Amino acid sequence: GAVVSQHPSWVICKSGTSVKIECRSLDFQATTMFWYRQFPKQSLMLMATSNEGSKATYEQGVEKDKFLINHASLTLSTLTVTSAHPEDSSFYICSAGRAGGTGELFFGEGSRLTVL
Amino acid sequence: QKEVEQNSGPLSVPEGAIASLNCTYSDRVSQSFFWYRQYSGKSPELIMSIYSNGDKEDGRFTAQLNKASQYVSLLIRDSQPSDSATYLCAVRMKEAGTALIFGKGTTLSVSS
Protein backbone atom coordinates (compact mmCIF):
# COMPACT_ATOMS: atom_id res chain seq x y z
CA GLY A 1 0.00 0.00 0.00
CA ALA A 2 0.86 3.64 -0.22
CA VAL A 3 2.33 5.61 2.68
CA VAL A 4 0.72 8.77 3.98
CA SER A 5 2.34 10.60 6.84
CA GLN A 6 0.72 13.17 9.09
CA HIS A 7 2.27 15.59 11.55
CA PRO A 8 1.89 16.36 14.39
CA SER A 9 0.27 13.31 15.97
CA TRP A 10 -0.82 15.23 19.02
CA VAL A 11 -1.27 18.92 19.60
CA ILE A 12 -2.62 20.88 22.50
CA CYS A 13 -3.28 24.56 22.07
CA LYS A 14 -5.00 27.44 23.77
CA SER A 15 -8.35 28.69 22.62
CA GLY A 16 -8.01 31.38 19.96
CA THR A 17 -4.73 30.16 18.51
CA SER A 18 -4.18 28.51 15.12
CA VAL A 19 -2.85 25.03 14.49
CA LYS A 20 -1.37 23.64 11.27
CA ILE A 21 -1.46 19.94 10.41
CA GLU A 22 0.63 18.55 7.59
CA CYS A 23 -0.18 15.57 5.40
CA ARG A 24 2.42 14.07 3.10
CA SER A 25 2.28 11.27 0.57
CA LEU A 26 5.70 9.64 0.91
CA ASP A 27 5.94 7.25 -2.00
CA PHE A 28 3.48 8.59 -4.53
CA GLN A 29 2.11 11.82 -5.88
CA ALA A 30 -1.37 12.82 -4.83
CA THR A 31 -3.23 15.40 -6.85
CA THR A 32 -6.11 15.00 -4.45
CA MET A 33 -6.09 14.52 -0.71
CA PHE A 34 -8.99 14.34 1.67
CA TRP A 35 -9.38 15.68 5.18
CA TYR A 36 -11.63 13.89 7.63
CA ARG A 37 -12.59 14.66 11.22
CA GLN A 38 -13.62 12.09 13.79
CA PHE A 39 -15.21 12.83 17.14
CA PRO A 40 -15.16 10.16 19.89
CA LYS A 41 -17.24 7.11 19.00
CA GLN A 42 -18.32 8.74 15.75
CA SER A 43 -17.48 7.94 12.17
CA LEU A 44 -15.09 9.76 9.90
CA MET A 45 -16.73 12.84 8.50
CA LEU A 46 -15.39 14.24 5.26
CA MET A 47 -14.44 17.87 5.75
CA ALA A 48 -12.93 18.80 2.43
CA THR A 49 -11.22 17.64 -0.71
CA SER A 50 -7.82 19.18 -1.23
CA ASN A 51 -6.80 19.73 -4.84
CA GLU A 52 -3.20 20.42 -5.83
CA GLY A 53 -2.86 23.87 -7.26
CA SER A 54 -6.45 24.92 -6.75
CA LYS A 55 -8.96 25.72 -4.05
CA ALA A 56 -10.20 23.02 -1.75
CA THR A 57 -13.78 21.80 -1.97
CA TYR A 58 -15.52 21.91 1.40
CA GLU A 59 -18.39 19.77 2.53
CA GLN A 60 -21.61 21.38 3.62
CA GLY A 61 -21.37 22.79 7.12
CA VAL A 62 -17.57 23.07 7.15
CA GLU A 63 -16.34 26.66 7.41
CA LYS A 64 -13.71 27.29 4.78
CA ASP A 65 -12.41 30.36 6.58
CA LYS A 66 -11.89 28.40 9.77
CA PHE A 67 -10.33 25.31 8.24
CA LEU A 68 -7.78 26.57 5.74
CA ILE A 69 -6.47 23.98 3.32
CA ASN A 70 -3.42 24.41 1.14
CA HIS A 71 -2.21 21.83 -1.36
CA ALA A 72 0.84 23.49 -2.83
CA SER A 73 2.62 20.39 -4.11
CA LEU A 74 1.80 16.88 -5.25
CA THR A 75 2.98 15.42 -1.94
CA LEU A 76 1.85 17.92 0.67
CA SER A 77 -1.48 19.23 1.91
CA THR A 78 -1.91 21.29 5.05
CA LEU A 79 -4.93 21.95 7.22
CA THR A 80 -4.88 25.01 9.45
CA VAL A 81 -7.48 25.29 12.16
CA THR A 82 -7.77 29.03 12.75
CA SER A 83 -8.89 30.60 16.01
CA ALA A 84 -9.39 27.17 17.51
CA HIS A 85 -12.06 26.61 20.14
CA PRO A 86 -12.67 23.65 22.45
CA GLU A 87 -15.39 22.35 20.14
CA ASP A 88 -12.74 21.94 17.43
CA SER A 89 -11.03 19.31 19.56
CA SER A 90 -11.10 16.17 17.46
CA PHE A 91 -9.10 13.58 15.58
CA TYR A 92 -8.16 14.95 12.17
CA ILE A 93 -7.12 12.43 9.53
CA CYS A 94 -5.89 12.99 6.00
CA SER A 95 -5.99 10.48 3.20
CA ALA A 96 -4.92 10.09 -0.39
CA GLY A 97 -5.16 7.61 -3.18
CA ARG A 98 -2.73 6.62 -5.88
CA ALA A 99 -3.45 7.93 -9.34
CA GLY A 100 -4.35 4.97 -11.48
CA GLY A 101 -4.93 2.82 -8.42
CA THR A 102 -8.01 0.81 -7.64
CA GLY A 103 -9.65 3.59 -5.69
CA GLU A 104 -8.78 2.80 -2.13
CA LEU A 105 -7.65 5.60 0.13
CA PHE A 106 -4.65 5.39 2.41
CA PHE A 107 -4.74 7.24 5.68
CA GLY A 108 -2.22 9.20 7.64
CA GLU A 109 -1.70 8.42 11.30
CA GLY A 110 -4.11 11.13 12.35
CA SER A 111 -3.64 14.25 14.45
CA ARG A 112 -5.39 14.57 17.75
CA LEU A 113 -6.16 18.20 18.52
CA THR A 114 -7.08 19.34 22.00
CA VAL A 115 -8.07 22.96 22.45
CA LEU A 116 -8.01 24.19 26.02
CA GLN B 1 -27.98 12.26 0.12
CA LYS B 2 -24.87 10.36 1.07
CA GLU B 3 -25.53 7.68 3.67
CA VAL B 4 -23.74 4.57 4.77
CA GLU B 5 -25.42 2.65 7.56
CA GLN B 6 -23.88 0.16 9.93
CA ASN B 7 -25.04 -1.42 13.16
CA SER B 8 -22.80 0.14 15.80
CA GLY B 9 -22.74 -3.01 17.90
CA PRO B 10 -20.93 -4.09 19.91
CA LEU B 11 -20.80 -7.42 18.18
CA SER B 12 -19.38 -10.03 20.49
CA VAL B 13 -18.14 -13.39 19.24
CA PRO B 14 -16.02 -16.10 20.84
CA GLU B 15 -12.55 -16.85 19.52
CA GLY B 16 -12.70 -19.08 16.47
CA ALA B 17 -16.21 -18.09 15.48
CA ILE B 18 -17.34 -16.26 12.35
CA ALA B 19 -18.05 -12.55 12.73
CA SER B 20 -20.51 -11.03 10.27
CA LEU B 21 -20.55 -7.29 9.70
CA ASN B 22 -23.16 -5.58 7.56
CA CYS B 23 -23.49 -2.29 5.74
CA THR B 24 -26.10 -0.62 3.55
CA TYR B 25 -25.68 2.44 1.40
CA SER B 26 -27.97 4.99 -0.14
CA ASP B 27 -26.43 5.74 -3.53
CA ARG B 28 -27.63 3.15 -5.99
CA VAL B 29 -24.94 3.94 -8.54
CA SER B 30 -22.01 3.50 -6.15
CA GLN B 31 -19.31 1.31 -7.66
CA SER B 32 -16.54 1.00 -5.08
CA PHE B 33 -16.78 -0.43 -1.59
CA PHE B 34 -14.21 -0.80 1.14
CA TRP B 35 -13.82 -2.21 4.60
CA TYR B 36 -11.42 -0.56 7.00
CA ARG B 37 -10.36 -1.61 10.49
CA GLN B 38 -9.74 1.01 13.12
CA TYR B 39 -8.18 0.38 16.49
CA SER B 40 -8.92 2.83 19.28
CA GLY B 41 -6.97 6.04 18.84
CA LYS B 42 -5.53 4.97 15.50
CA SER B 43 -6.34 5.82 11.92
CA PRO B 44 -8.18 3.35 9.67
CA GLU B 45 -6.34 0.65 7.78
CA LEU B 46 -7.68 -0.97 4.64
CA ILE B 47 -8.79 -4.58 4.90
CA MET B 48 -10.59 -5.21 1.66
CA SER B 49 -12.08 -3.60 -1.38
CA ILE B 50 -14.84 -4.97 -3.57
CA TYR B 51 -16.26 -3.67 -6.82
CA SER B 52 -18.38 -6.47 -8.32
CA ASN B 53 -21.39 -8.38 -7.07
CA GLY B 54 -20.58 -11.57 -5.27
CA ASP B 55 -17.88 -12.68 -2.87
CA LYS B 56 -14.25 -11.72 -2.60
CA GLU B 57 -12.00 -13.68 -0.29
CA ASP B 58 -8.66 -12.68 1.22
CA GLY B 59 -7.34 -14.97 3.91
CA ARG B 60 -9.80 -15.05 6.79
CA PHE B 61 -11.81 -12.18 5.34
CA THR B 62 -14.63 -12.39 2.81
CA ALA B 63 -16.40 -9.35 1.45
CA GLN B 64 -19.83 -9.77 -0.10
CA LEU B 65 -21.54 -7.25 -2.36
CA ASN B 66 -25.13 -7.09 -3.57
CA LYS B 67 -25.67 -3.92 -5.55
CA ALA B 68 -29.35 -4.63 -6.17
CA SER B 69 -29.95 -4.64 -2.43
CA GLN B 70 -27.36 -1.90 -1.82
CA TYR B 71 -25.72 -4.13 0.72
CA VAL B 72 -22.15 -5.04 1.48
CA SER B 73 -20.87 -7.31 4.23
CA LEU B 74 -17.65 -8.56 5.74
CA LEU B 75 -17.16 -12.02 7.18
CA ILE B 76 -14.24 -12.78 9.45
CA ARG B 77 -13.58 -16.48 9.86
CA ASP B 78 -11.70 -17.98 12.81
CA SER B 79 -12.01 -14.71 14.71
CA GLN B 80 -9.07 -13.81 16.94
CA PRO B 81 -8.90 -11.46 19.92
CA SER B 82 -6.61 -9.26 17.80
CA ASP B 83 -9.54 -8.74 15.43
CA SER B 84 -11.28 -6.74 18.16
CA ALA B 85 -11.65 -3.28 16.66
CA THR B 86 -14.13 -1.02 14.93
CA TYR B 87 -14.86 -1.97 11.34
CA LEU B 88 -15.77 0.85 9.01
CA CYS B 89 -17.67 0.40 5.79
CA ALA B 90 -16.77 2.98 3.16
CA VAL B 91 -18.43 3.71 -0.16
CA ARG B 92 -17.35 5.85 -3.05
CA MET B 93 -20.47 7.74 -4.08
CA LYS B 94 -20.89 9.76 -7.23
CA GLU B 95 -21.88 12.84 -5.24
CA ALA B 96 -18.67 12.71 -3.25
CA GLY B 97 -16.34 12.57 -6.24
CA THR B 98 -13.36 10.43 -5.37
CA ALA B 99 -13.76 10.75 -1.60
CA LEU B 100 -15.07 7.90 0.53
CA ILE B 101 -18.15 8.15 2.68
CA PHE B 102 -17.93 6.16 5.90
CA GLY B 103 -20.46 4.44 8.07
CA LYS B 104 -20.31 4.89 11.83
CA GLY B 105 -18.57 1.58 12.22
CA THR B 106 -19.32 -1.66 14.02
CA THR B 107 -17.36 -2.48 17.12
CA LEU B 108 -16.28 -6.11 17.21
CA SER B 109 -15.19 -7.83 20.39
CA VAL B 110 -13.63 -11.28 20.17
CA SER B 111 -13.34 -13.05 23.49
CA SER B 112 -10.72 -15.71 24.17
Side-chain angles (χ1 to χ4, degrees):
Chain A
V3 180
V4 177
S5 178
Q6 215 174 313
H7 177 82
S9 299
W10 295 81
V11 58
I12 301 173
C13 69
K14 293 182 179 180
S15 184
T17 60
S18 295
V19 174
K20 179 185 285 188
I21 301 170
E22 294 185 346
C23 178
R24 295 180 184 275
S25 56
L26 298 185
D27 57 352
F28 67 102
Q29 293 183 330
T31 55
T32 304
M33 291 185 176
F34 305 95
W35 287 95
Y36 290 85
R37 177 170 56 182
Q38 186 177 36
F39 293 106
K41 300 193 183 301
Q42 299 293 315
S43 187
L44 279 74
M45 297 300 297
L46 179 65
M47 298 177 66
T49 300
S50 173
N51 305 298
E52 188 268 335
S54 65
K55 291 182 179 180
T57 304
Y58 290 83
E59 294 298 300
Q60 189 174 5
V62 178
E63 300 174 58
K64 62 179 182 180
D65 294 330
K66 181 171 184 61
F67 298 100
L68 301 180
I69 291 173
N70 184 280
H71 194 155
S73 77
L74 288 172
T75 59
L76 174 64
S77 175
T78 61
L79 168 68
T80 301
V81 182
T82 63
S83 186
H85 290 283
E87 58 265 30
D88 298 323
S89 299
S90 187
F91 192 43
Y92 292 86
I93 316 174
C94 72
S95 67
R98 284 185 181 276
T102 50
E104 64 266 48
L105 295 183
F106 299 94
F107 285 84
E109 304 94 330
S111 299
R112 188 163 301 282
L113 170 64
T114 301
V115 184
L116 302 176
Chain B
Q1 192 173 10
K2 300 174 281 192
E3 290 187 352
V4 179
E5 300 287 343
Q6 289 182 259
N7 187 328
S8 62
L11 173 65
S12 298
V13 301
E15 183 175 358
I18 296 175
S20 177
L21 306 163
N22 305 313
C23 172
T24 59
Y25 57 94
S26 62
D27 185 359
R28 182 175 294 279
V29 300
S30 297
Q31 295 295 320
S32 306
F33 308 86
F34 306 87
W35 283 99
Y36 285 82
R37 178 173 60 196
Q38 186 177 27
Y39 293 109
S40 181
K42 302 295 185 181
S43 65
E45 56 179 329
L46 180 68
I47 296 177
M48 290 195 69
S49 59
I50 186 166
Y51 307 96
S52 304
N53 279 328
D55 296 358
K56 179 182 178 182
E57 186 175 320
D58 183 0
R60 294 187 296 114
F61 299 97
T62 298
Q64 300 174 318
L65 174 62
N66 184 326
K67 292 184 179 179
S69 299
Q70 295 174 228
Y71 175 91
V72 59
S73 66
L74 178 70
L75 299 178
I76 306 175
R77 290 181 299 280
D78 189 22
S79 296
Q80 302 297 309
S82 58
D83 293 328
S84 299
T86 296
Y87 289 80
L88 301 168
C89 173
V91 179
R92 173 161 289 114
M93 297 186 180
K94 183 179 179 181
E95 298 172 17
T98 53
L100 295 183
I101 304 302
F102 285 82
K104 290 187 176 181
T106 298
T107 300
L108 173 66
S109 177
V110 182
S111 56
S112 57

